[in-house]
Amino acid sequence: MKRKIGLALLAIAILAWAVASGCTRMAGGAGGSAAQKTYVKPGEHDTHYAFLSGGHSGQVFVYGLPSCRYITTIPVFTPEPAKGYGYDEESKAMLGGFTWGDAHHPGLSETNGNFDGRWLFINDMPHARIARIDLKDFTTREIYGPIPNISAAHACPYPTPNTEYVFAASRFSAPVPTNKVAKVEDYVKDFKGVIAGIKVSSEGRMSMGFEILMPPFHWDLSDAGKGPSHGWQFFTCYNSEMAHDTLEVKASQAEMDYVAAVDWRAAQKAVDEGKADMIGGAPVLNPEKVKGIVYLVPTPKSPHGMDVNPTGEYICASGKLQAEVSVFSFKKLMAAIDAKKFEKEIMGVPVLAYDDVLEAKVPVGLGPLHTEFDGKGFAYTSLFLDSQVAKWKVGTWEVVDKIDVYYSIGHLSVAEGATMNPTGEYLLALDKLSKDRYLPVGPSHPEGAQLIDLRGNKMELLYDFPTYPEPHYGQIISASKIKPLKIYPLSENKNPHAIKSAEEARVERKGKRVDAYMVAVRTHFTPDVIRVAAGDTVYFHVTNLEQDIDITHGFGILNSNIDMQVEPGETKTVKWVATAAGITPFYCSNFCSALHQEMQGYLEVAAAGTRIAGVQRPPKKQVEEVAALLRRR
């Protein structure tokens, strides 16, 4: 009896401890409350990065999961003064004169169908551009485009399983080339859609591969085949009615729109064999002349999401005006193509029969938009009209769970859920509306994301956080796959304008062009007095000699649009025109040390025509002091 009482007391004590410590296993899977599941101790790091597109801000926003803490902004298509992006000469040239972009779909690079942590690609929809961000330093290194003949790249970039290609497709069909004059009422006759395959080198550089003329539908989203379907790229479209006005009515009349299946290896081979016509500077294939490169599959009611499951066998299309996800079989697709079972052609593109390719219809709910997958055989579909996420089983096609979101979800993102091996711990719901979820800030409400735990049988909402408009899409990657630099090693700085010691600091003049070779180190600019004349164009080449972590210097010039951030070991160049005689201070605009405010200098601008030495060097004593400072570090 005493033994039983003792065991009972022990059980009560264990239960009390479990409740008190929050370790009771919750419905969501991993133990603990929602607060405990998202808590990351001060000084500790999150387990995942989430990259969210910044919509018409043109940027990418980075969050840590599961804490949902905002980490940083990556400037991409829009100048960003805090980092000086779009102000220094290199990034200004990369922006190509545009001061905005509409960033929609981040796509992480892949190796063997899995995120590899090298690069992040993202599209600028209205200007048909694709940017490549190097994840060694979270910096935009290349912007490719505007892509010829593409009128707004919405179905973009969606890398292939070994990052051989990224893709783009016209959202707004238009005459080809795009500078061709035509009347809108001649839409069906004169307008074309275009799908482009952009090659990616092993170093990440993008170049034109091929383009395909398509019917003038509105091409929407895309996904790459994988496993057995590797080598194929799939696209959804709406407006197969080919309406050119009042689209909210006229583009929703047909029961079926289409999915396009592109054999990108065959398309590239056709270009390499000289079967393309050069239009607008791009090799363009016409399906009426070149067969075997693209096929259409009828798909119900304005499909949006285009998502291939991890095995590569099933191709899921979400008709946003229906209540089902259409799941197509790649095997059936290949069998129908091999048997040439075509219902008809549209502008040279063969059309397969819906029933010949369909594997299943999943009754997920109203307004299905986008599907991703976990590593346990489940799929998750966002439901815009129902404001829910539906969880369903691949193979049995049954819906097993639903969860409410707040509100009107667009895309969703599952941890590595677009790869062949999703980790699937978390799902981010990217909600179009937040309404009353946050403190009011006026008529413009923040948009929101919600973290959902996928580790249990039931989905569990863990956290809400506001986002800057508008996160169209995001991708989540394990933090262990990204190894960012902490500094740029000065020894590896190959910038032609770099100097690596105070002794090399100087100002050189050739006519009215002045080149100032400067070093920045706590807490000096060397030289810190620069003499020029009104009318001179001055190029400041600033090298940050610091090799300590998190010691970034800024370089801002008063009463100008000049400001940039220079990281440890980095060299940047910025141009400034001396418009009038006088004194203009410059300073370090990024806090760097206790004597940060003392880190400044002067531009002494003489009257136009004043004779100024061809080479200026800083005072010898100043150079010796900086050199001595560097030797002590």
Side-chain angles (χ1 to χ4, degrees):
M1 185 64 182
K2 288 182 178 178
R3 186 169 180 271
K4 288 183 178 178
I5 292 173
L7 288 173
L9 290 174
L10 178 61
I12 291 170
I14 292 172
L15 178 62
W17 172 83
V19 171
S21 61
C23 289
T24 304
R25 190 168 182 79
M26 307 295 285
S33 66
Q36 287 175 311
K37 290 177 181 179
T38 57
Y39 180 67
V40 177
K41 291 180 181 177
E44 293 189 356
H45 292 175
D46 285 286
T47 57
H48 294 75
Y49 289 98
F51 296 93
L52 305 188
S53 61
H56 48 275
S57 77
Q59 319 292 37
V60 168
F61 301 109
V62 184
Y63 292 83
L65 301 181
S67 73
C68 303
R69 295 181 296 194
Y70 164 77
I71 305 279
T72 192
T73 298
I74 305 174
V76 185
F77 297 115
T78 304
E80 163 54 49
K83 293 192 176 181
Y85 181 82
Y87 294 79
D88 69 276
E89 296 306 298
E90 185 179 5
S91 59
K92 193 163 57 179
M94 199 160 51
L95 288 174
F98 293 105
T99 59
W100 76 288
D102 195 350
H104 276 232
H105 308 123
L108 287 156
S109 58
E110 297 182 19
T111 299
N112 296 324
N114 298 307
F115 293 158
D116 57 25
R118 289 182 295 167
W119 309 304
L120 179 73
F121 297 88
I122 190 162
N123 61 318
D124 167 20
M125 191 271 290
H127 306 116
R129 297 184 294 173
I130 305 174
R132 177 175 55 86
I133 297 161
D134 194 329
L135 294 180
K136 283 183 180 175
D137 54 6
F138 286 53
T139 298
T140 302
R141 291 300 179 194
E142 182 184 8
I143 295 178
Y144 181 81
I147 301 169
N149 307 316
I150 295 286
S151 177
H154 193 260
C156 181
Y158 300 101
T160 52
N162 287 304
T163 321
E164 302 98 329
Y165 284 83
V166 289
F167 288 86
S170 299
R171 173 179 168 184
F172 309 115
S173 289
V176 176
T178 49
N179 61 359
K180 177 182 174 183
V181 177
K183 294 181 178 179
V184 175
E185 54 262 37
D186 293 329
Y187 185 91
V188 175
K189 177 171 67 76
D190 286 341
F191 285 48
K192 299 289 183 186
V194 172
I195 288 174
I198 307 301
K199 290 191 284 191
V200 182
S201 74
S202 57
E203 292 77 31
R205 299 292 298 181
M206 291 177 277
S207 62
M208 174 55 67
F210 61 86
E211 290 190 349
I212 302 174
L213 281 181
M214 297 295 290
F217 308 156
H218 286 31
W219 298 95
D220 200 0
L221 292 178
S222 180
D223 199 10
K226 49 180 77 90
S229 54
H230 184 196
W232 290 77
Q233 191 80 13
F234 305 96
F235 299 82
T236 53
C237 76
Y238 58 100
N239 192 29
S240 61
E241 296 86 348
M242 295 183 275
H244 65 270
D245 62 1
T246 325
L247 260 63
E248 73 273 24
V249 176
K250 296 179 180 175
S252 306
Q253 299 301 305
E255 286 300 314
M256 291 287 184
D257 291 283
Y258 295 97
V259 163
V262 173
D263 183 342
W264 52 260
R265 288 171 173 151
Q268 188 63 63
K269 183 169 181 285
V271 168
D272 296 342
E273 292 173 349
K275 297 178 180 177
D277 301 314
M278 291 301 294
I279 303 176
V284 181
L285 298 166
N286 186 341
E288 292 184 339
K289 302 176 184 174
V290 183
K291 299 298 181 184
I293 56 174
V294 59
Y295 304 87
L296 293 174
V297 180
T299 304
K301 305 304 291 181
S302 303
H304 188 62
M306 178 79 281
D307 307 294
V308 179
N309 84 316
T311 69
E313 168 57 22
Y314 297 118
I315 303 145
C316 305
S318 303
K320 61 190 178 188
L321 299 179
Q322 67 167 167
E324 297 169 331
V325 173
S326 296
V327 181
F328 299 111
S329 161
F330 184 70
K331 284 181 185 173
K332 292 181 179 180
L333 176 78
M334 289 295 95
I337 291 172
D338 290 344
K340 300 186 184 305
K341 291 184 66 177
F342 306 137
E343 290 186 326
K344 58 182 178 181
E345 285 191 356
I346 300 177
M347 298 184 182
V349 184
V351 180
L352 304 168
Y354 177 67
D355 290 334
D356 285 348
V357 184
L358 186 71
E359 179 70 22
K361 293 188 286 188
V362 185
V364 289
L366 296 178
L369 291 185
H370 179 213
T371 300
E372 287 201 356
F373 307 87
D374 66 14
K376 297 177 286 189
F378 292 100
Y380 302 83
T381 300
S382 58
L383 304 174
F384 178 81
L385 295 178
D386 281 344
S387 283
Q388 289 184 317
V389 173
K391 175 181 178 180
W392 49 277
K393 183 71 175 175
V394 176
T396 66
W397 319 116
E398 57 184 330
V399 175
V400 297
D401 191 24
K402 285 190 176 181
I403 189 169
D404 293 335
V405 294
Y406 307 92
Y407 304 89
S408 302
I409 182 174
H411 282 278
L412 52 72
S413 178
V414 174
E416 308 204 7
T419 72
M420 295 186 73
N421 293 286
T423 55
E425 301 94 332
Y426 301 109
L427 180 152
L428 269 183
L430 301 172
D431 302 329
K432 297 295 186 187
L433 305 174
S434 67
K435 295 184 181 177
D436 55 358
R437 302 295 283 185
Y438 309 107
L439 284 172
V441 290
S444 180
H445 294 229
E447 290 166 25
Q450 295 181 297
L451 184 70
I452 295 171
D453 190 350
L454 301 183
R455 291 170 291 179
N457 294 327
K458 301 283 288 182
M459 293 181 282
E460 180 188 5
L461 176 62
L462 297 181
Y463 201 79
D464 281 14
F465 60 100
T467 61
Y468 198 70
E470 176 195 5
H472 288 268
Y473 178 46
Q475 288 201 324
I476 303 170
I477 181 174
S478 171
S480 64
K481 289 188 174 180
I482 298 180
K483 309 291 185 188
L485 294 171
K486 294 185 176 179
I487 59 166
Y488 294 110
L490 195 59
S491 60
E492 297 176 12
N493 184 337
K494 306 300 181 187
N495 188 301
H497 302 299
I499 58 173
K500 300 182 181 180
S501 68
E503 289 86 343
E504 298 174 88
R506 65 196 185 278
V507 179
E508 295 179 345
R509 163 180 296 277
K510 290 181 181 176
K512 289 191 173 184
R513 173 179 172 129
V514 176
D515 289 273
Y517 298 89
M518 305 172 64
V519 294
V521 64
R522 284 163 290 173
T523 40
H524 305 271
F525 286 110
T526 307
D528 57 1
V529 176
I530 296 172
R531 296 177 176 85
V532 299
D536 284 348
T537 298
V538 187
Y539 290 86
F540 297 92
H541 313 290
V542 183
T543 300
N544 181 346
L545 296 183
E546 305 280 0
Q547 292 290 269
D548 288 344
I549 295 172
D550 203 13
I551 303 298
T552 295
H553 293 299
F555 180 78
I557 300 177
L558 270 60
N559 301 312
S560 78
N561 285 322
I562 303 303
D563 179 50
M564 63 180 179
Q565 183 171 294
V566 190
E567 308 297 336
E570 186 181 33
T571 300
K572 281 186 175 175
T573 296
V574 68
K575 182 176 78 172
W576 175 76
V577 177
T579 56
I583 295 294
T584 299
F586 60 87
Y587 73 109
C588 177
S589 55
N590 195 84
F591 187 88
C592 60
S593 70
L595 296 177
H596 163 70
Q597 283 192 294
E598 283 76 2
M599 193 167 178
Q600 65 171 60
Y602 288 102
L603 293 163
E604 185 180 291
V605 184
T610 301
R611 187 177 180 84
I612 296 176
V615 177
Q616 303 168 48
R617 295 190 181 277
K620 183 178 179 183
K621 183 178 179 184
Q622 184 186 70
V623 170
E624 289 174 349
E625 288 174 349
V626 174
L629 174 69
L630 291 170
R631 283 195 297 272
R632 288 198 294 271
R633 292 187 176 179

